[in-house]
Amino acid sequence: MHPSPDIGIWIGGLLTLGIFSFLYGDNPYYKFCEALFVGVSAGHWFITLFWTVFIPKLLGNIGIAIHTFRTEGFAAGMSDYMHWSYIFGGILGFLMILRLFPKIGWISRWSLAFVVGTTAGYYFINYLVSNGLMQIQKTILPLTSVGNIILVVGTFCGLIYFFFSKEHKGAFGGLARVGIWFLMITFGASFGYTVMSRMSLLIGRMDYIFGIWLGMIR
Amino acid sequence: MRREVPLLITAIVGLTLIVVYFVPHPPFSDLRDLFSDWFGVIAAFAIYLGILSLLKINVDKVYRKKSGWGFSIVTIMGFLLFVSVGLYEGSDFGEYGTSYYYLYDRIYYPLMATMFAILAFFIGSASYRAFRARNLEATVLLLAAFFVMLGRVPIGYYLTSWLPEGFRMGSLADWIMDYPQTAGQRAVMIGIALGIVSTSLRVILGIERTFLGGE
Amino acid sequence: MVLDRGFSYLLLLAFFFLILFSTNSFAQDPSDTLAPESVTNVDAFDTPNDNGHSITVSWELSSDDGAGKNNVVVYEVYRSDSPEGKFEKRGMVPAGENTFEDQGAKEKDNANYLPSHKNFYYRVRAKSDGLFSDSEISLPAYAYGQWYHTGKTPVLVAVILFSVFAITFITLARKGKLFYIRPLAGIEAVDDAIGRATEMGKPILYIFGLGTADMIATIASFTILSRVAKKTAEYQTPILIPCYDSVVMAVAQETVRAAYLEAGRPDMYKEENIFFLTSMQFAYVAGVNGIMLREKPATNFYLGKFYAESLILAETGSIAGSIQISGTDEIAQIPFFVAATDYTLIGEELYAASAYLGREPVLLGTLKGQDWGKAVVIFSLILGALAASFGFQFFINLFRIQL
Amino acid sequence: MGFFERLLKIDRRIIFTLIGIAIALPLFFNVSMFVETTPVVKGVYEVVESLPEGSKVLVSFDYDPGSMPELQPMAESFFRHCFSRNLKVIIMGLWPQGPLQANWALDVILNEPDIKAKNLRYGVNYVNLGYTAGNEVVILRMGSNIHAAFPADYYGTPLDDLPIMKGIRNFNNIDFVYNLSAGYPGTMEWVQFAADRFHAVLGAGNTAVQAPLMYPYANTGQLVGILGGMKGAAEYEVLADRPARGVRYMFSQGIAHAVVIFFVILGNVAYFATG
């Protein structure tokens, strides 16, 4: 056994054990690690957004706009809407914070409305294209092999299952039933497949504890 | 003001983004980038709002000495540590060799990775408890999971090594993934696409307005 | 030792010969001393379907590309704003390709700025290793933006089609037409679950997952919550909603308050039961787990956007002995919910449940419109597969989108 | 309460413990008997084995820490193999994080006793050229002139001052190209540009998710071979007769899967036995 001399490795190891202790049950050691995790992840978000959104996107663009107004005059500045209009983004964002004050909190609905509108617009097109049309295009296959037939029939029956305005009875119900089987195969197979990737994460942590930290493996 | 303005904003923004998709000519082509940047800024403010709420709750706990206030101090200290080091390091805070990177690597990463790794344990207990052949559907689910898992481990290989290549457990697992699994997945995906299209439309038309809360 | 090394060189040599033969690329002629023939018919034109800051150049391959001396390695493309002016290099493509897109920047202050409506001249250089020859200079071309992207017509057709379906059925619903919607197992369970909680005298736990207030799954979940909250007000069962996002929390508070008001029990509403927990994924999970183990809720609802935490929540809920109803449109998490909870609303069913529970005829109308969309999809699938089986390619091309 | 009823209500901490043991214990053993080697992995191994001493090998690191459990063992075993055969290694990256991943792997391998004894020198036996932006265009540029694509190495030393780079102009002077990839840009681009256009001898290591998409290239010979996921990493180590992290990970994963499968069976047996 050759434990690592690096104090940082020890901290990482002790925190790893602390989180694992949750598997036995809730306890103060775990609570400490959890509290720390909540704090540092809040800090990590704070810093990441500060240096990747607020400074470059918001202040950066508004700064360029101010510079243009100063050096090239009002008209040139106004025509450069790609920069100065960021001030609106900033205002809408700031309104979000007003949620903290119940009296005027309702005004944050304006920013929420903008965000919801953006998502609705994006999703409408993106899902239609990549989840809809592209998938249909990939499923239009010549029925010349067992695999292709299964792909087309499976997708067909699965969609029948998702019909809401028709009762699942008779032949239609039979197709919907086949559709459920396909969905169940899908869910079972994805479960089995995901097991693999989750296990490799755990392997990584175990290797950290016994290898890098405690030096018991080599 | 409280209801009409937000509904109008949603409708205008939503429709604009749909139109933008089809029109490459400026200024439409710029609006897409502009809106997504604004979106990023607003989302960042929303996350800051979350952080503020979190700090408020924890400071409150410490101030009133509620149960577990000691842990709240840990949370606040952790936050201050990362924020002060991150601000000090400047815009390349995340690069290899900075002290922020050290904190990230030795504190944040182990905590996060272990949280994820705990999932492996829950997968074990879920497969014990939930994967039971209760009825036909559950049996299909169980068998698919079983074959895919078996196809990825040496036991599966040894159990079927006497079969000709292409009929072994590994090939069966691949076949399940490639055909029936993909078929089911596509049905779900197309269904979700139609559902999202119709819900987005309801939002843009102002029919679905629960997100604004009650009056 | 010497023999050994000689032998391994021989092996290596044999190996390289093998590779060369197997890839059939043996035609590398030793004519490196001669420059390749220049390319012909250089044509410059505005790149279609863009915002007007790009010009496409095409040409006919040099006769020494893939044939003749076969020594072309790359083509380099040069641009100038006058035929006599200085030509600057804009980029290169490997031998065998005959088009190049000169993509410029749209910002004036960018070094790579390519203005719209300004003439440019192009020249293509065929290059071997060290030697080259230039083509004639192209006719002038300028870049300009288009008002409609012709490659996206299939999407436009789909947008119009689905919108027409939705609006038609909304109009019909407004006129008082009622639509049949089949029962969904998960929805049927909602009322029973609330009744069970009342009998047991235990609260109900409602989880939105990690979605923000703008996500469609969260929006659908708000509508379902409104219905669930009304029921809990009628049954006088407390409802707990720990939130991941502070905006979701605010909206949830308003939704529940309105539902209690509608049920005639505004006195029952407790704002402190709908609270912000934390917006860190696993810290949130840990917090919810604690609530489940302490409060032992009768029923857990997981409706919204879920990620890796789905299984941990569902497993802990089952330790606590709760009935669990789940629903998400996050495909990777559906298997975990199906395996570990009692009822699952699969993908589209979540939105359908929201329309169904919203009980507004208009919402049911859009659901009907959605089914018509599905019918069109199924029809195209069958028709397409048959067409493809008989060798008709045109049908697939109807769905081809140029991005 | 009968045996099976008790089994149905088993405390899940027992299950947790068994899973923990199933993952941790195999890490202590270098059991390679469960790893059967496949022709696609042998393809890469044999090419490296056939290169004469002093041959030049180019390794491109096209991944980031997200794929470390799968690709890092591949990087390590490849370095070990090259250095023990006295090949010269040139490192580069099409992903910004790539060269850093290479340095981590070098740290491990250069400190192994038998490699350390060789006293390998930076700039002579190995070099890290760093990252250059441009994705597949970088490969294209390297096809005509590597010095144009990488004027200086990771530490800013001009390439002409590095003895290892003497006489290297393009892919004609490189004996083998190895690419570790987790997506775009990656193996696909190396196949299309380095192998197809400039006839480089190319091998690859991929994540388990990506590997199936690349197998067709191995069948046509555009790739001499490919390592897929943890299993590929383990196979390479077995071939080189130096079982290390890949083999341990693979063994651990195999046992863990077997335990999960065992639980599924046990759960069903108990369920049906109790009716």
Side-chain angles (χ1 to χ4, degrees):
Chain A
M1 205 168 136
H2 306 283
S4 166
D6 183 341
I7 178 105
I9 299 275
W10 275 80
I11 293 173
L14 289 171
L15 293 177
T16 303
L17 284 188
I19 299 290
F20 273 142
S21 75
F22 172 73
L23 290 168
Y24 181 77
D26 210 359
N27 63 73
Y29 186 12
Y30 170 73
K31 278 216 179 100
F32 173 86
C33 295
E34 187 206 325
L36 183 67
F37 184 44
V38 172
V40 300
S41 39
H44 183 59
W45 271 108
F46 187 97
I47 289 298
T48 310
L49 291 175
F50 186 79
W51 290 120
T52 59
V53 177
F54 285 109
I55 297 297
K57 290 242 163 85
L58 192 57
L59 296 184
N61 281 310
I62 294 173
I64 291 175
I66 292 173
H67 182 79
T68 318
F69 275 114
R70 269 202 185 149
T71 51
E72 293 173 37
F74 186 75
M78 282 310 284
S79 72
D80 186 19
Y81 61 91
M82 275 304 278
H83 290 123
W84 61 257
S85 63
Y86 275 79
I87 199 121
F88 284 116
I91 290 171
L92 283 175
F94 182 72
L95 293 184
M96 216 53 157
I97 298 280
L98 295 183
R99 276 271 182 215
L100 283 178
F101 308 98
K103 280 257 165 64
I104 44 170
W106 61 269
I107 200 160
S108 69
R109 282 184 190 171
W110 291 17
S111 8
L112 183 60
F114 178 86
V115 173
V116 170
T118 317
T119 315
Y122 270 138
Y123 277 21
F124 186 99
I125 294 290
N126 287 358
Y127 274 82
L128 188 64
V129 172
S130 54
N131 264 30
L133 297 177
M134 295 255 201
Q135 296 302 320
I136 298 170
Q137 189 193 324
K138 278 192 221 157
T139 317
I140 296 182
L141 296 164
L143 302 170
T144 45
S145 69
V146 181
N148 282 359
I149 292 174
I150 286 186
L151 269 177
V152 174
V153 170
T155 312
F156 170 78
C157 293
L159 281 171
I160 294 282
Y161 169 77
F162 283 116
F163 255 88
F164 298 114
S165 57
K166 200 162 157 50
E167 222 171 330
H168 285 174
K169 263 194 193 159
F172 193 79
L175 290 176
R177 194 83 204 270
V178 177
I180 300 181
W181 294 342
F182 271 99
L183 295 185
M184 289 302 146
I185 294 180
T186 302
F187 299 144
S190 330
F191 189 104
Y193 202 73
T194 329
V195 167
M196 201 166 57
S197 65
R198 301 294 187 231
M199 289 293 173
S200 48
L201 274 170
L202 183 52
I203 292 172
R205 290 327 290 162
M206 290 290 191
D207 200 37
Y208 182 89
I209 295 179
F210 295 110
I212 297 172
W213 177 28
L214 299 177
M216 290 160 75
I217 306 172
R218 180 107 309 219
Chain B
M1 278 299 263
R2 292 192 178 199
R3 245 188 153 163
E4 290 71 25
V5 175
L7 286 176
L8 201 65
I9 294 179
T10 306
I12 292 173
V13 173
L15 281 176
T16 310
L17 279 169
I18 293 176
V19 171
V20 158
Y21 178 79
F22 298 101
V23 183
H25 202 285
F28 288 91
S29 53
D30 300 332
L31 285 181
R32 198 184 161 83
D33 294 343
L34 197 65
F35 279 7
S36 73
D37 270 2
W38 288 15
F39 182 91
V41 170
I42 299 171
F45 270 106
I47 291 175
Y48 269 38
L49 175 66
I51 294 173
L52 283 174
S53 316
L54 178 77
L55 289 177
K56 196 174 136 197
I57 289 173
N58 280 293
V59 170
D60 198 52
K61 257 192 186 170
V62 176
Y63 188 69
R64 295 183 194 195
K65 297 250 161 47
K66 281 192 194 162
S67 78
W69 62 275
F71 294 118
S72 290
I73 293 183
V74 175
T75 302
I76 296 166
M77 296 306 277
F79 174 78
L80 291 178
L81 176 70
F82 268 56
V83 167
S84 50
V85 175
L87 289 178
Y88 170 77
E89 287 287 354
S91 59
D92 40 358
F93 65 99
E95 287 188 7
Y96 184 70
T98 63
S99 36
Y100 190 86
Y101 183 88
Y102 187 83
L103 288 181
Y104 177 87
D105 193 49
R106 299 295 152 86
I107 296 178
Y108 182 78
Y109 182 76
L111 286 168
M112 189 193 62
T114 313
M115 281 289 189
F116 263 107
I118 278 190
L119 276 174
F121 292 99
F122 283 93
I123 279 183
S125 71
S127 40
Y128 177 72
R129 193 181 58 79
F131 274 152
R132 284 176 191 162
R134 287 191 194 93
N135 51 40
L136 194 55
E137 278 82 32
T139 312
V140 173
L141 180 89
L142 171 75
L143 286 178
F146 190 78
F147 284 125
V148 169
M149 279 195 272
L150 211 53
R152 312 254 156 220
V153 285
I155 312 170
Y157 175 79
Y158 283 110
L159 279 178
T160 52
S161 58
W162 51 276
L163 284 167
E165 191 129 8
F167 291 89
R168 294 179 190 160
M169 201 59 89
S171 320
L172 178 65
D174 288 341
W175 187 85
I176 292 178
M177 286 305 287
D178 286 349
Y179 297 106
Q181 198 274 139
T182 309
Q185 182 113 332
R186 284 202 184 139
V188 177
M189 283 172 85
I190 295 173
I192 287 178
L194 290 168
I196 290 222
V197 164
S198 134
T199 314
S200 304
L201 209 58
R202 292 206 297 257
V203 167
I204 292 170
L205 295 177
I207 297 170
E208 179 92 62
R209 50 177 78 172
T210 38
F211 65 90
L212 292 174
E215 192 59 7
Chain C
M1 191 62 206
V2 176
L3 193 102
D4 245 28
R5 180 170 282 193
F7 186 66
S8 56
Y9 273 121
L10 242 149
L11 252 179
L12 183 74
L13 209 68
F15 176 73
F16 275 119
F17 268 88
L18 211 82
I19 296 278
L20 285 172
F21 271 117
S22 64
T23 51
N24 196 15
S25 57
F26 206 50
Q28 202 82 8
D29 218 31
S31 52
D32 282 355
T33 47
L34 290 169
E37 279 299 316
S38 60
V39 308
T40 47
N41 284 336
V42 177
D43 186 19
F45 51 89
D46 169 57
T47 306
N49 294 329
D50 73 346
N51 60 359
H53 299 280
S54 164
I55 295 174
T56 302
V57 185
S58 75
W59 58 87
E60 269 168 39
L61 294 182
S62 150
S63 59
D64 289 328
D65 183 353
K69 294 196 282 291
N70 196 19
N71 59 353
V72 179
V73 179
V74 290
Y75 294 111
E76 292 178 344
V77 179
Y78 291 79
R79 183 183 79 191
S80 171
D81 48 11
S82 78
E84 303 81 28
K86 188 173 169 292
F87 277 79
E88 64 172 313
K89 184 171 154 190
R90 296 295 301 162
M92 59 180 180
V93 294
E97 290 185 16
N98 63 351
T99 53
F100 172 77
E101 199 186 316
D102 183 9
Q103 176 70 57
K106 59 175 194 247
E107 298 87 9
K108 281 196 192 78
D109 48 351
N110 191 312
N112 195 22
Y113 178 58
L114 197 163
S116 302
H117 301 285
K118 182 182 173 192
N119 272 329
F120 286 105
Y121 300 82
Y122 284 87
R123 187 159 76 188
V124 179
R125 175 173 289 181
K127 218 172 165 185
S128 69
D129 198 17
L131 296 163
F132 63 85
S133 53
D134 284 336
S135 70
E136 311 243 313
I137 293 163
S138 74
L139 291 172
Y142 60 88
Y144 58 96
Q146 280 73 34
W147 286 102
Y148 175 66
H149 193 302
T150 52
K152 288 174 175 170
T153 305
V155 185
L156 185 66
V157 171
V159 167
I160 293 173
L161 196 66
F162 291 131
S163 306
V164 165
F165 283 148
I167 291 167
T168 309
F169 285 100
I170 289 171
T171 321
L172 283 178
R174 285 232 164 103
K175 284 190 179 147
K177 189 164 166 46
L178 289 173
F179 298 105
Y180 169 80
I181 299 295
R182 78 172 161 87
L184 294 167
I187 297 182
E188 305 264 286
V190 170
D191 287 354
D192 296 347
I194 299 169
R196 178 173 179 264
T198 317
E199 280 166 28
M200 293 170 66
K202 294 225 168 110
I204 280 173
L205 188 67
Y206 195 102
I207 310 280
F208 280 96
L210 305 192
T212 46
D214 56 305
M215 289 178 176
I216 303 294
T218 316
I219 290 178
S221 189
F222 284 138
T223 313
I224 300 178
L225 171 67
S226 147
R227 161 72 171 225
V228 169
K230 210 172 138 200
K231 281 270 165 209
T232 58
E234 284 164 11
Y235 286 107
Q236 309 194 6
T237 305
I239 181 165
L240 300 175
I241 313 178
C243 292
Y244 172 83
D245 181 288
S246 37
V247 181
V248 170
M249 176 197 75
V251 177
Q253 283 175 344
E254 288 173 30
T255 307
V256 173
R257 191 190 293 133
Y260 275 61
L261 197 68
E262 204 183 325
R265 300 302 307 259
D267 53 308
M268 287 279 299
Y269 174 69
K270 287 202 187 74
E271 185 147 293
E272 66 270 23
N273 279 351
I274 303 163
F275 52 96
F276 173 78
L277 204 57
T278 162
S279 48
M280 311 300 140
Q281 184 181 21
F282 284 102
Y284 176 75
V285 175
V288 175
N289 279 350
I291 295 169
M292 283 197 236
L293 295 176
R294 275 195 310 275
E295 305 278 340
K296 300 224 182 295
T299 310
N300 300 336
F301 288 95
Y302 308 111
L303 300 172
K305 201 84 178 164
F306 287 83
Y307 299 100
E309 72 285 352
S310 61
L311 185 65
I312 303 183
L313 291 175
E315 273 297 287
T316 315
S318 88
I319 302 179
S322 318
I323 289 269
Q324 310 198 82
I325 299 175
S326 59
T328 184
D329 61 359
E330 187 61 34
I331 298 178
Q333 302 307 323
I334 299 174
F336 295 113
F337 276 150
V338 168
T341 65
D342 302 281
Y343 299 95
T344 305
L345 296 165
I346 300 166
E348 196 187 357
E349 288 183 323
L350 174 66
Y351 319 129
S354 126
Y356 189 84
L357 286 175
R359 286 288 175 203
E360 277 181 53
V362 179
L363 293 180
L364 293 181
T366 58
L367 213 50
K368 183 82 187 169
Q370 216 165 303
D371 271 4
W372 272 82
K374 225 166 291 161
V376 171
V377 171
I378 290 179
F379 193 65
S380 340
L381 271 187
I382 298 174
L383 218 61
L386 289 177
S389 310
F390 292 106
F392 300 122
Q393 273 304 305
F394 73 93
F395 206 85
I396 284 201
N397 294 338
L398 293 182
F399 291 87
R400 204 143 273 166
I401 303 151
Q402 194 190 323
L403 293 174
Chain D
M1 206 154 61
F3 170 72
F4 284 115
E5 273 170 16
R6 233 179 294 165
L7 200 59
L8 270 182
K9 297 205 168 95
I10 191 171
D11 188 336
R12 75 187 61 209
R13 276 176 279 207
I14 295 172
I15 299 177
F16 290 163
T17 314
L18 288 176
I19 296 221
I21 294 173
I23 296 252
L25 203 59
L27 291 176
F28 289 86
F29 301 96
N30 275 333
V31 182
S32 45
M33 60 181 255
F34 289 107
V35 182
E36 95 276 6
T37 54
T38 52
V40 277
V41 177
K42 264 185 211 147
V44 179
Y45 175 80
E46 276 163 10
V47 171
V48 177
E49 196 63 20
S50 72
L51 294 173
E53 272 191 20
S55 297
K56 290 180 174 144
V57 176
L58 176 78
V59 196
S60 184
F61 280 72
D62 308 332
Y63 64 97
D64 61 15
S67 318
M68 261 177 83
E70 288 180 277
L71 298 182
Q72 205 67 10
M74 291 186 197
E76 289 172 10
S77 59
F78 187 77
F79 279 157
R80 188 184 294 119
H81 193 193
C82 289
F83 289 140
S84 66
R85 298 211 62 254
N86 296 325
L87 308 178
K88 292 183 192 265
V89 179
I90 301 160
I91 298 158
M92 59 167 280
L94 295 179
W95 287 33
Q97 264 279 340
L100 201 62
Q101 300 289 343
N103 280 349
W104 285 338
L106 281 175
D107 266 356
V108 173
I109 298 305
L110 293 176
N111 283 319
E112 287 186 355
D114 52 333
I115 307 287
K116 203 168 187 171
K118 288 178 185 274
N119 245 331
L120 301 176
R121 279 173 50 212
Y122 183 84
V124 179
N125 303 92
Y126 64 99
V127 69
N128 190 344
L129 301 184
Y131 158 79
T132 288
N135 304 335
E136 62 268 35
V137 179
V138 176
I139 307 176
L140 210 61
R141 236 185 274 161
M142 291 172 72
S144 53
N145 189 352
I146 290 179
H147 294 250
F150 293 92
D153 76 349
Y154 188 60
Y155 306 97
T157 317
L159 247 51
D160 298 325
D161 297 352
L162 295 161
I164 187 174
M165 297 306 291
K166 285 256 158 63
I168 296 188
R169 184 171 163 74
N170 53 32
F171 289 120
N172 292 340
N173 316 112
I174 303 269
D175 301 292
F176 180 58
V177 180
Y178 188 56
N179 156 247
L180 291 167
S181 143
Y184 171 85
T187 306
M188 181 96 82
E189 286 67 39
W190 281 100
V191 169
Q192 286 171 355
F193 295 97
D196 291 359
R197 291 212 195 284
F198 302 112
H199 314 303
V201 184
L202 179 68
N206 278 196
T207 54
V209 178
Q210 197 193 197
L213 306 173
M214 300 299 149
Y215 284 132
Y217 295 123
N219 289 336
T220 55
Q222 288 154 295
L223 281 171
V224 295
I226 182 169
L227 281 61
M230 276 187 189
K231 180 147 183 306
E235 283 181 46
Y236 197 92
E237 289 171 7
V238 169
L239 284 169
D241 211 13
R242 284 289 295 268
R245 277 219 278 179
V247 166
R248 290 206 314 264
Y249 284 6
M250 187 61 210
F251 186 39
S252 165
Q253 179 152 38
I255 300 285
H257 271 214
V259 168
V260 171
I261 291 168
F262 169 75
F263 279 133
V264 173
I265 296 174
L266 191 70
N268 277 282
V269 168
Y271 176 70
F272 282 107
T274 52

